[in-house]
Amino acid sequence: MQFLLDHEYVFTLYFALCIFIYFVPKRKYFYVPLILSFFIIETYWHFRPLPGPLDYIMVYIFMAISLFAIFKTDVFRILFILTTTFCVQHISYKATMIICTLINPDLRGEALYLILLIIFICLTNTLIYFSFLRKVEKNNDIVINNYYLLWIALLMI
């Protein structure tokens, strides 16, 4: 249980990434770099050698590199997938923290916190999929016409 609490960030990122696994074209044996990248990022996150925000930037860079090994697509789609993954993780984490604060501010170290986090990740993934990504899946294409919007999204991350 404590292991999951210590490493919830990486776990929740990969849960958020799951909404893309189904419909974005993948490379042959995509699961190998997927699993390998999870363990590399998890190991990095365990040690966190850099101060504060630099750790998050490094995870972002590691995930970007791993997504190129997992998906067969262009750089803009990778940036879209990466940005959406981080946003979904952040939304679900913050929603969990709001509910936990309302229930009990010291709930974070308990099993109920992890259950709520999993529930909110599933809800957020479902909401994002049906609100935005279902249209992408039908067209089998992610089109980003506005580079300014893409850069704003990247800066927000």
Side-chain angles (χ1 to χ4, degrees), residues 85-97:
T85 298
F86 274 76
C87 288
V88 167
Q89 185 279 335
H90 189 73
I91 292 167
S92 57
Y93 172 75
K94 290 300 181 182
T96 303
M97 292 307 294

Side-chain angles (χ1 to χ4, degrees), residues 105-152:
D106 298 325
L107 193 63
R108 190 161 190 270
E110 299 180 22
L112 180 58
Y113 168 77
L114 288 175
I115 293 167
L116 288 171
L117 184 60
I118 291 168
I119 289 169
F120 277 105
I121 289 171
C122 292
L123 287 173
T124 308
N125 277 8
T126 303
L127 179 68
I128 297 295
Y129 176 78
F130 283 108
S131 298
F132 304 106
L133 299 179
R134 186 173 54 170
K135 295 173 187 172
V136 172
E137 180 186 10
K138 286 180 182 174
N139 298 335
N140 200 17
D141 197 12
I142 299 171
V143 179
I144 302 170
N145 293 327
N146 193 336
Y147 291 100
Y148 179 73
L149 179 63
L150 178 64
W151 287 112
I152 293 295

Side-chain angles (χ1 to χ4, degrees), residues 10-84:
V10 177
F11 282 110
T12 55
L13 276 176
Y14 276 81
F15 277 126
L17 180 64
C18 288
I19 55 178
F20 293 100
I21 294 294
Y22 176 69
F23 68 89
V24 177
K26 294 165 288 302
R27 297 188 185 281
K28 190 174 184 181
Y29 305 114
F30 75 95
Y31 52 85
V32 173
L34 179 69
I35 294 168
L36 187 61
S37 69
F38 174 81
F39 284 111
I40 290 170
I41 292 171
E42 184 60 41
T43 302
Y44 175 83
W45 191 251
H46 177 73
F47 293 106
R48 292 186 206 138
L50 298 174
L54 294 178
D55 279 328
Y56 292 97
I57 292 170
M58 287 304 296
V59 169
Y60 192 85
I61 291 168
F62 287 151
M63 280 204 68
I65 292 167
S66 65
L67 293 182
F68 278 109
I70 295 167
F71 297 115
K72 193 186 316 181
T73 189
D74 60 52
V75 67
F76 291 106
R77 288 184 190 167
I78 294 294
L79 290 176
F80 175 80
I81 293 166
L82 192 58
T83 303
T84 305

